[in-house]
Amino acid sequence: GDLPGALAEYEKLIAADATDPYTYVLLADLLYKMGEHPKAGERYLIAASCYEQAGLFKNAIAVGKKMLRLALSPGTVLERLATLHALDGLPTEASLYYTQYAEHLVRESKVKEAAGALRKAFECSPDNVKALERLAEVYSLIEDDAACARTLAEAAACYARTGQLGEA
């Protein structure tokens, strides 16, 4: 029941070993319970980075998904989840998270950044031609007609290569 005391003890553990991701998760959990959501988000992100550096991508992904459930830093987390899934050899999931990240950016009026995320979504999973179609829509939002046309032509070529002539 002594949350401030527990917080002090976890901080001591972090000071002694700043590479243990589990300690960061426990500290973040405690901070979240105490209502310190921004600080909790920072600690969860550090935990995910520690897991990533150790090559434990699935653990890092689990931390990111927990952050999404807790509504902590959704934009940052979506981008991290996309990267982590790509590193873990899961291109379809990486593409999905890049697409979700792009939609988050569009809602924040960061359209150029959204275009970059959608390009990454397609690069991760070239079968996801819908990402190119959405990328063309995003280009139309910033009135870049030439980029929109090039992207639609690229999508049409991808569909044609796979025999989906109706979509092309």
Side-chain angles (χ1 to χ4, degrees), residues 68-89:
L68 281 183
R69 283 192 306 276
L70 298 174
L72 297 173
S73 307
T76 302
V77 174
L78 288 169
E79 182 181 29
R80 293 295 306 132
L81 283 170
T83 302
L84 289 166
H85 279 89
L87 289 170
D88 199 29

Side-chain angles (χ1 to χ4, degrees), residues 100-116:
Q100 290 177 3
Y101 177 53
E103 295 306 328
H104 176 82
L105 291 169
V106 167
R107 286 190 296 277
E108 290 189 342
S109 300
K110 296 178 179 176
V111 183
K112 288 185 180 181
E113 293 90 341

